[in-house]
Amino acid sequence: MPAGRTVEGTMLGKLDWSAIPFEQPIPLIAGGVVLVGILAVLIWVVVKGHLPYLWHEWITSVDHKRIGVMYILLASVMLLRGGSDAIMMRIQQAIAYQSQGYLPPEHYNQIFSAHGTIMIFFVAMPFVIGLMNLIVPLQLGVRDVAFPTLNSVGFWLTATGALLVNLSLVIGEFARTGWLAFPPLSELSYSPGVGVDYYAWSLQISGVGTLVAGVNLVTTVLKLRTKGMNYLRMPMFCWTTLASNLLIVAAFPILTATLAMLLLDRYLGFHFFTNEAGGNVMMFMNLIWAWGHPEVYILVLPAFGIFSEVVSTFSGKALFGYRSMVLATMAICVIAFMVWLHHFFTMGAGPDVNAIFGIASMIIAVPTGVKIYNWLFTMYGGRIRFTTPMLWAVGFMVTFIIGGLTGVLVAVPPADFMLHNSMFLVAHFHNVIIGGVLFGAFAGFEYWFPKAFGFRLDERWGKLAFWFTFTGFYVTFVPLYVAGMLGMTRRLQHYDVAEWRPWMIVAAIGMAVLSIGVICQIMQLVVSIRNREALRDRTGDPWDGRSLEWATSSPPPVFNFAFHPDVRGEDAYWDMKLSAQQQSLDHEEPEYHDIEMPRNSPTGFVCAFFATIMGFALIWHIWWMVILGGIGAFATFVVFAWRDHDEYVIPAAEVAAIDRVNLEERRNLVSMAGAI
Amino acid sequence: MSDQTHMNGEHDIAPGDEEQHSVGERIVGYVVGLGLALLLTATSFFIAGTDLVWQPSIPVALIVLAIAQMGVHLVFFLHITTGPDNTNNVLALAFGLLVVFLVVGGTVWIMGHLNQNMPPMDQFIRMHS
Amino acid sequence: MAMTATIGRAHADPHHIGLVVEHPGPAPKRTVTAYGFWVFLLSDIVMFSCFFAAYAVLVSQTADGPKGSEIFEQRNVAIETVCLLLSSFTCGMASIAADVRNRFWFYLGMAVTCLLGVIFLVIEFREFADLVSRGYGPSRSAFLTAFFSLVGCHGLHVSAGVLWLLTMMAQVFAKGFRADVLRRMMCFALFWHALDIIWVGVFSVVYLLGSGV
Ligand code: HEM
Ligand SMILES: [Cu+2]
């Protein structure tokens, strides 16, 4: 080896030109296109002089609404990336009958691993966390979350994780192990490349971000509620946020610990999960699922909350069985930790262990059923408006029941011995995650978009998007149930069984329909932005809502509320509207006060910058860079701690000016409603 | 604190904060905590090394002593009490402990059964060679 | 229905029967910060519980290497324990001093806490170095893997605590007992005491119970 190579090799760890996958055109071209796109956007931003605006209003913002929007933006972009992976896999399985298809095995394996990782960690998670961030403080009637700056840190660390995963497209490779990187395959002896390291470090970094978000939201719900907002007056979405974030706080450290063990095995020759020296691979399954099952409820609980809000608003009724809903939510929060073994029934824990976890898994379906009934009874006798969010909610109910039922089916150990790791299982979890989480996220997106941006989304394109997605979902995933019953296992790069073929083709057609749904959703956004003046929401209450987020303008001022609202019951804003109508309107001008708000801070962005450097260096074993990144991160924290002024004051006059406009619109609204 | 103040909807105190006490009382609290902790630690070390007690009881005794000492720390150092102004702090703790219990207990139970039915690779090889 | 809203319980009254405890509004900042940190600590403890679980599973997997009873030195562990217990006490003293804004006792309490923490770390480091030099490093067996990880994870936390402690002293020195500095001091105290609780688990499970295996 020439001397120059060696020096380069040591300076840059494992990194050299062979890391760029010149021989694999697809990822390279895809990565190149994305890179050019990002560069183009950056250049456009700089040339047009938007950089200061971006920096001051978004990147360094600690406003929970802005951070929420950025989370959702991240999730949407990643949804396109994960969706492309899905399209590639469906095409491969449609054509790879008695042939190699067009994706070689090592590439196909990376795609399904990246697809799962991205969809769970960088689509579903940021989407629901974004919606919670955006809405929960508004619903609680407060001005911000408990820890605004940390909130920003959490978002940027999540973005770092997403960046690293996507970087693996052009520099190096991604894991070929599936989205949970089971050992011994993920151990160094079987996966010597950097793929698993990309996987593990991006999840470690974004996991810290998620933990921060969880701590922040738990504290916000428990400690920051406006006057009179007793626990049993909180909107359902706040309850499910609480439950979901309690699960984050309790479950994500398990993921962190498990991945840390895997990394120790890979980097320092430890023996947690190796085949040699007494390591135990089964312990990995055990630990990762102790996080993994709570994780699915972390995702779906916020969706349940969104549906509760949507169903009650568009049925024009208070939520049926509010207290049973609260109870069911908290029950799920606890039982979610008692069922994890159902993911490895087949590993051989024996009949008694399997039976107990099987029964626990069926029990968790009970509170879920309670919720379904409550939504149905909320709709029963209501004046239902089938707006786009409501369509997603109804579509969810139908779809989720099927997914839940197949879940109970695979929770029966003897049945699971047949269905485990088959396409049936793949259909089950897509059924609950798409039909539950994604439909929920879309419902929340449509429902709260006017609140975030001040104009509604186009209903026609929205409904089209729903119907294409809904149909596309069934056409894609019902065939997978069938293929599973026919014995097809998951993650096949090619196959020789003729009976599976037609179903794979149907599934690929379904994928095309789903893609049309996505295009409709993009069109909806474009059309709505173009027609935003016509769609403008001047009242702040476009849907005739019931909870406090509708009591302020759309978009809300930085401080959300000029006064902390005083809550007297459930459906706080509904009560206010009713009493305002009865008492006519008091036209007295209230006395405004100065408001203190947290100051913007680049801490999150700078932290993420160093985390990216450190993560990249760790993946490629570039030790000096690791140390540099570590020192940078520590210095950032000290500088943050050293700040003297972390708040600024909005003078009373400014608050008054902003609030007067809002009040005026609102008076018009109420007097109009009174006239009707 | 009395129920009276709670009726008015007072907040919980911060975890780690004590209800109003003089400095002297607070120091005494720490001294008592330290004394109890040292006593329990000494007992643990003594029991672990002694032949005077029935051997099979030692693990149980050690675990009981450890839990007791954790309780002492929680009450005297972290000031987590059962007072009405501590509800939220205690609830959070209870949830955390439940999860710890489920994860540790569940893992030991599950892995015990798995090891029995599916011994780890090296044992497996030893058994079959 | 009315039964659910009894006097003295902070529950709402959706049916407007009057016996309601009104929520007083957002909590003071000190409570919010400390509570958030408390929640974080609980999550940290859950993380430790995974390493405890791994230790329990792997403790007998010595791969023909040494067993716990062959490498643990009770005397060292006892000294380490006493260091940490005393440091918890001195940390408590520093907290009280901070609350009454007494600089001298604050610095003294923190300095002693720091010293005890460093002694603990030195003893632990020497134990580790000694084991590695005898060929009993973490890659020797799954048992040693679990041992090093669990004890080392606690040690890393203590090291982070010492760094934090020093920045706390610097903050008091530069900014005095400001409200935000006091809030951080409170979080630091929670952190330090929590590490002590975890150490109780470590010496009981790893060193004392582990010697019996
Ligand atoms: C009604 C309650 C549910 C039950 C009883 C249930 C049951 C199960 C069972 C037994 C498995 C393992 C099957 C196997 O591997 O052979 C499984 C897998 C899975 N479930 Fe569910 N489930 C339920 C709800 C959900 C929900 C709500 C979600 C997500 C929002 C979800 C997501 C998943 C995922 C992601 C997997 C598979 C992960 C993998 O192996 O890669 N499930 N479910
Ligand atoms: Cu599960």
Side-chain angles (χ1 to χ4, degrees):
Chain A
M1 201 185 279
R5 273 297 293 269
T6 336
V7 172
E8 192 183 76
T10 49
M11 272 299 282
L12 291 179
K14 291 160 87 176
L15 186 61
D16 59 27
W17 283 111
S18 68
I20 315 289
F22 292 111
E23 74 288 359
Q24 287 180 10
I26 297 177
L28 201 62
I29 293 172
V33 169
V34 172
L35 217 67
V36 170
I38 291 175
L39 274 181
V41 171
L42 274 184
I43 291 173
W44 179 79
V45 164
V46 173
V47 168
K48 285 275 185 173
H50 293 316
L51 198 59
Y53 167 77
L54 265 189
W55 178 259
H56 293 295
E57 297 292 321
W58 293 91
I59 294 175
T60 61
S61 176
V62 296
D63 180 344
H64 69 94
K65 303 178 283 297
R66 294 276 161 92
I67 293 175
V69 168
M70 288 194 288
Y71 263 118
I72 294 170
L73 185 69
L74 174 72
S76 311
V77 174
M78 287 295 110
L79 181 62
L80 296 181
R81 158 81 212 269
S84 325
D85 291 339
I87 294 172
M88 287 165 76
M89 288 189 289
R90 282 285 128 254
I91 295 177
Q92 169 74 9
Q93 288 199 326
I95 59 184
Y97 166 63
Q98 290 189 337
S99 82
Q100 282 294 315
Y102 72 110
L103 292 173
E106 69 281 0
H107 190 186
Y108 184 76
N109 294 356
Q110 288 183 47
I111 292 182
F112 69 64
S113 306
H115 169 76
T117 310
I118 288 177
M119 286 303 200
I120 296 283
F121 292 98
F122 301 115
V123 176
M125 286 300 282
F127 216 130
V128 294
I129 291 180
L131 287 170
M132 294 190 283
N133 246 306
L134 177 64
I135 294 305
V136 164
L138 291 168
Q139 286 197 333
L140 295 174
V142 293
R143 300 207 166 112
D144 213 325
V145 288
F147 306 106
T149 312
L150 280 180
N151 198 15
S152 155
V153 173
F155 165 73
W156 284 107
L157 289 182
T158 309
T160 295
L163 178 66
L164 285 177
V165 168
N166 285 289
L167 208 58
S168 73
L169 212 54
V170 277
I171 309 178
E173 52 162 10
F174 195 67
R176 303 167 191 189
T177 51
W179 73 286
L180 285 179
F182 289 159
L185 179 58
S186 56
E187 289 286 354
L188 200 58
S189 24
Y190 304 100
S191 295
V194 291
V196 176
D197 303 325
Y198 263 115
Y199 165 87
W201 287 116
S202 28
L203 293 198
Q204 289 295 53
I205 293 171
S206 67
V208 175
T210 307
L211 181 66
V212 168
V215 169
N216 182 24
L217 283 165
V218 168
T219 314
T220 305
V221 174
L222 288 180
K223 293 291 170 187
L224 295 185
R225 280 167 285 131
T226 187
K227 199 163 160 332
M229 182 62 87
N230 299 2
Y231 286 123
L232 286 178
R233 287 173 181 173
M234 294 198 300
M236 239 358 259
F237 186 54
C238 294
W239 271 107
T240 58
T241 296
L242 175 63
S244 168
N245 285 287
L246 279 174
L247 285 176
I248 288 183
V249 169
F252 265 76
I254 306 179
L255 177 71
T256 306
T258 313
L259 290 177
M261 292 177 197
L262 180 63
L263 286 166
L264 286 169
D265 277 4
R266 288 179 61 86
Y267 278 71
L268 299 175
F270 282 35
H271 291 291
F272 279 108
F273 312 123
T274 55
N275 283 337
E276 313 84 41
N280 192 332
V281 288
M282 292 186 291
M283 195 171 68
F284 183 91
M285 318 296 160
N286 170 67
L287 285 176
I288 201 92
W289 285 117
W291 159 81
H293 190 83
E295 164 70 6
V296 306
Y297 280 98
I298 290 170
L299 293 175
V300 87
L301 279 173
F304 287 171
I306 294 168
F307 293 125
S308 301
E309 304 291 309
V310 167
V311 167
S312 129
T313 300
F314 294 108
S315 303
K317 279 171 67 188
L319 190 64
F320 182 91
Y322 173 80
R323 281 167 182 238
S324 65
M325 266 320 208
V326 170
L327 214 66
T329 306
M330 296 325 274
I332 290 178
C333 182
V334 173
I335 306 176
F337 269 107
M338 304 185 185
V339 301
W340 76 86
L341 181 126
H342 67 211
H343 293 272
F344 47 97
F345 280 142
T346 54
M347 220 158 71
D352 38 357
V353 183
N354 275 2
I356 286 180
F357 277 94
I359 291 166
S361 310
M362 293 171 210
I363 290 176
I364 204 169
V366 174
T368 316
V370 168
K371 284 176 170 260
I372 300 264
Y373 280 112
N374 280 338
W375 291 317
L376 290 176
F377 282 124
T378 308
M379 288 170 68
Y380 179 77
R383 265 205 277 155
I384 301 177
R385 286 171 287 158
F386 280 104
T387 55
T388 315
M390 190 62 178
L391 281 185
W392 287 112
V394 176
F396 148 80
M397 282 188 233
V398 178
T399 313
F400 196 81
I401 290 175
I402 301 174
L405 283 177
T406 58
V408 175
L409 210 91
V410 283
V412 182
D416 189 58
F417 274 67
M418 296 292 126
L419 297 169
H420 180 56
N421 272 355
S422 72
M423 287 306 251
F424 189 93
L425 167 76
V426 174
H428 154 66
F429 69 74
H430 283 86
N431 205 157
V432 276
I433 291 185
I434 297 183
V437 183
L438 207 64
F439 282 18
F442 287 159
F445 179 77
E446 303 278 327
Y447 181 57
W448 283 311
F449 186 92
K451 183 45 65 187
F453 293 103
F455 58 96
R456 272 170 296 129
L457 287 167
D458 186 89
E459 282 281 307
R460 226 166 56 92
W461 281 105
K463 288 186 173 149
L464 273 179
F466 167 75
W467 283 110
F468 275 111
T469 311
F470 187 73
T471 333
F473 167 78
Y474 280 95
V475 181
T476 312
F477 289 97
V478 172
L480 301 196
Y481 278 123
V482 182
M485 296 286 215
L486 293 174
M488 184 170 181
T489 51
R490 71 196 289 191
R491 296 174 176 160
L492 289 181
Q493 183 258 347
H494 70 129
Y495 54 92
D496 298 328
V497 181
E499 296 90 77
W500 301 344
R501 183 86 199 277
W503 301 108
M504 290 303 108
I505 293 177
V506 177
I509 296 170
M511 192 68 225
V513 181
L514 263 177
S515 312
I516 300 177
V518 173
I519 293 173
C520 289
Q521 212 121 49
I522 296 173
M523 278 309 293
Q524 181 198 32
L525 211 53
V526 173
V527 169
S528 312
I529 292 176
R530 259 219 225 113
N531 298 343
R532 61 185 176 281
E533 283 318 317
L535 293 167
R536 184 74 61 197
D537 163 35
R538 295 188 190 291
T539 61
D541 182 19
W543 308 115
D544 199 7
R546 314 177 70 83
S547 40
L548 283 180
E549 75 269 34
W550 308 112
T552 181
S553 60
S554 300
V558 245
F559 47 81
N560 293 351
F561 301 96
F563 300 93
H564 280 295
D566 190 356
V567 175
R568 304 265 161 74
E570 282 169 43
D571 283 345
Y573 182 48
W574 190 258
D575 290 349
M576 284 179 198
K577 282 194 277 196
L578 286 186
S579 53
Q581 269 172 25
Q582 283 160 8
Q583 298 161 6
S584 73
L585 276 160
D586 67 69
H587 281 271
E588 272 167 56
E589 169 104 330
E591 194 189 326
Y592 290 96
H593 301 284
D594 293 354
I595 293 180
E596 275 192 354
M597 291 303 291
R599 207 180 262 283
N600 278 3
S601 162
T603 311
F605 189 75
V606 178
C607 264
F609 176 76
F610 286 117
T612 310
I613 290 187
M614 217 159 102
F616 186 79
L618 280 164
I619 290 164
W620 290 100
H621 295 223
I622 311 173
W623 305 122
W624 59 268
M625 211 154 124
V626 175
I627 295 168
L628 219 65
I631 293 174
F634 180 70
T636 316
F637 259 105
V638 173
V639 171
F640 169 58
W642 225 254
R643 279 199 315 183
D644 280 329
H645 306 286
D646 47 7
E647 295 195 322
Y648 71 103
V649 174
I650 304 175
E654 201 181 323
V655 176
I658 295 173
D659 200 47
R660 265 179 216 130
V661 180
N662 177 24
L663 276 184
E664 196 48 45
E665 300 280 4
R666 233 149 248 281
R667 287 212 183 88
N668 294 341
L669 169 78
V670 176
S671 54
M672 257 160 58
I676 296 164
Chain B
M1 274 201 206
S2 65
D3 274 327
Q4 209 66 44
T5 45
H6 201 226
M7 260 295 283
N8 301 337
E10 289 276 307
H11 284 290
D12 277 11
I13 55 172
D17 261 350
E18 293 176 87
E19 292 153 29
Q20 293 311 311
H21 285 307
S22 71
V23 172
E25 281 171 325
R26 291 181 66 184
I27 294 178
V28 170
Y30 280 100
V31 171
V32 172
L34 181 66
L36 284 175
L38 283 173
L39 195 71
L40 287 163
T41 305
T43 317
S44 287
F45 275 85
F46 170 74
I47 284 197
T50 183
D51 298 328
L52 291 177
V53 292
W54 186 49
Q55 293 299 307
S57 72
I58 288 179
V60 182
L62 284 176
I63 288 176
V64 170
L65 283 166
I67 292 174
Q69 187 169 351
M70 290 175 182
V72 166
H73 283 238
L74 279 173
V75 172
F76 288 97
F77 294 160
L78 289 125
H79 314 299
I80 301 298
T81 65
T82 51
D85 50 359
N86 238 314
T87 335
N88 245 323
N89 308 335
V90 173
L91 276 179
L93 177 68
F95 182 66
L97 289 184
L98 175 72
V99 172
V100 167
F101 171 76
L102 287 172
V103 169
V104 176
T107 300
V108 170
W109 185 48
I110 293 169
M111 293 309 295
H113 280 258
L114 281 172
N115 279 343
Q116 207 172 6
N117 296 339
M118 300 267 299
M121 208 44 109
D122 55 340
Q123 261 167 264
F124 190 76
I125 293 166
R126 228 178 296 150
M127 269 161 43
H128 291 260
S129 56
Chain C
M1 268 281 141
M3 295 303 294
T4 47
T6 46
I7 303 178
R9 295 248 172 264
H11 284 322
D13 170 33
H15 306 287
H16 309 285
I17 48 175
L19 283 174
V20 191
V21 183
E22 291 291 323
H23 179 66
K29 213 160 181 175
R30 184 172 169 91
T31 313
V32 173
T33 308
Y35 191 77
F37 195 74
W38 179 234
V39 172
F40 163 76
L41 278 181
L42 291 172
S43 87
D44 212 32
I45 288 174
V46 173
M47 192 199 65
F48 269 107
S49 78
C50 295
F51 284 100
F52 274 108
Y55 181 81
V57 170
L58 299 176
V59 68
S60 55
Q61 302 296 325
T62 50
D64 302 327
K67 288 193 293 195
S69 51
E70 295 161 31
I71 53 170
F72 296 152
E73 297 219 20
Q74 305 292 29
R75 205 177 55 91
N76 273 351
V77 183
I79 298 174
E80 284 179 312
T81 308
V82 171
C83 279
L84 279 193
L85 287 180
L86 286 177
S87 82
S88 242
F89 177 78
T90 53
C91 175
M93 294 305 106
S95 308
I96 298 177
D99 287 345
V100 298
R101 293 172 170 63
N102 183 322
R103 275 182 191 252
F104 173 74
W105 284 103
F106 173 79
Y107 287 135
L108 186 67
M110 290 296 259
V112 176
T113 309
C114 181
L115 187 72
L116 290 167
V118 171
I119 296 178
F120 170 88
L121 285 173
V122 169
I123 299 178
E124 183 159 284
F125 183 78
R126 285 187 28 196
E127 180 193 9
F128 280 12
D130 175 54
L131 283 176
V132 172
S133 71
R134 283 153 65 190
Y136 301 153
S139 28
R140 176 64 189 80
S141 70
F143 157 65
L144 284 165
T145 286
F147 163 77
F148 272 92
S149 313
L150 173 53
V151 180
C153 187
H154 177 267
L156 278 180
H157 275 74
V158 175
S159 317
V162 169
L163 271 185
W164 187 0
L165 187 155
L166 293 175
T167 49
M168 277 325 302
M169 287 174 81
Q171 284 183 47
V172 171
F173 179 76
K175 299 179 187 295
F177 294 112
R178 242 169 35 182
D180 56 346
V181 175
L182 284 178
R183 283 202 298 273
R184 286 182 201 134
M185 180 57 206
M186 167 153 210
C187 293
F188 168 74
L190 281 173
F191 183 69
W192 198 260
H193 293 313
L195 288 186
D196 220 11
I197 292 187
I198 289 168
W199 181 254
V200 173
V202 172
F203 83 69
S204 302
V205 173
V206 175
Y207 288 105
L208 298 185
L209 276 177
S211 306
V213 177

